[in-house]
Amino acid sequence: MDLSKTEIRDRAEDSQGRKKPRLKKRKKSRLKRLVCWLFIDLVVAALILAGLLYRPGRYRPIGSGSFKPGQVSPYLTYLHSEIYNGAQLGEAFNVVVSQDGINDMIARGDWPLEHEGVLLYAPAAVLEPGTAVLMATANVRGLEFVVTIELEAKIDERGLLNLQVGKLKIGAMNITPVAKMIAKKMYTEQVAAVEVDTEAWQTKVTASLLNDEAFEPVFPTGDRKIRVRVEKVTIQKGELLLRLIPIR
């Protein structure tokens, strides 16, 4: 038997009819891989969406039906009187701010806030050891996400206060690095475009949060002759403790 002729015939037969099944097998294999990757992409997308839509169990905003619109928070009035009266004594004093009181004050703000089509409303605060957690609902084209900001307050050796953003999350997704980068850019652009009073305490607080700028923690008391300096800030479960020193 001539083996060379048999090989030539086998190759010819393969080229004529036996390669087609192999091509079909290859196509099926590619299709399976494609379906597999599409499935993985869908699972990842579903996990990301679930993370974004996650609602923290500690998020419990106060309903607006519990107070009249425009009504000043009774706790704000109480807190103002505590600081004013303590400053009149002329010596260091302590003020305790409760978590419930903070929630009552922020719930009475001018909500919702709107920026470029995004609505922000239903704020809530939780005080944990070393951290103040602020949360609110963001509505983007009908989808609702819970935005969480974890803040830390530190006073350095110079007596300057720095309010730092520890974490920023949408649902369960941590976007802190990206959010900080965007916030710094927005702050720089706003300062360059609009004339702002850099000495106002509101501006200093904003600069500290968005640009990590420490500032002298001196605030008004309602008495033009007396201000208070924050000497110490302690955040513990359910309470914010402030050590204040009157300045004349």
Side-chain angles (χ1 to χ4, degrees), residues 32-104:
K32 286 182 180 179
R33 287 199 297 268
L34 178 61
V35 171
C36 182
W37 281 114
L38 286 175
F39 177 74
I40 292 173
D41 288 343
L42 287 173
V43 170
V44 171
L47 290 174
I48 291 174
L49 184 59
L52 291 174
L53 295 176
Y54 172 75
R55 184 182 177 90
R58 59 185 176 178
Y59 176 49
R60 299 173 184 174
I62 297 176
S64 58
S66 60
F67 53 85
K68 296 180 180 179
Q71 182 182 25
V72 176
S73 169
Y75 193 80
L76 178 60
T77 303
Y78 157 78
L79 193 60
H80 182 268
S81 65
E82 284 289 294
I83 294 175
Y84 180 87
N85 293 334
Q88 303 301 313
L89 300 177
E91 57 187 29
F93 62 101
N94 298 320
V95 173
V96 179
V97 186
S98 71
Q99 177 177 296
D100 290 340
I102 292 175
N103 276 296
D104 185 75

Side-chain angles (χ1 to χ4, degrees), residues 21-36:
R22 292 179 184 176
L23 287 174
K24 288 181 179 179
K25 287 181 180 179
R26 289 178 184 175
K27 288 181 179 178
K28 288 182 179 179
S29 179
R30 290 176 183 174
L31 182 60
K32 286 182 180 179
R33 287 199 297 268
L34 178 61
V35 171
C36 182

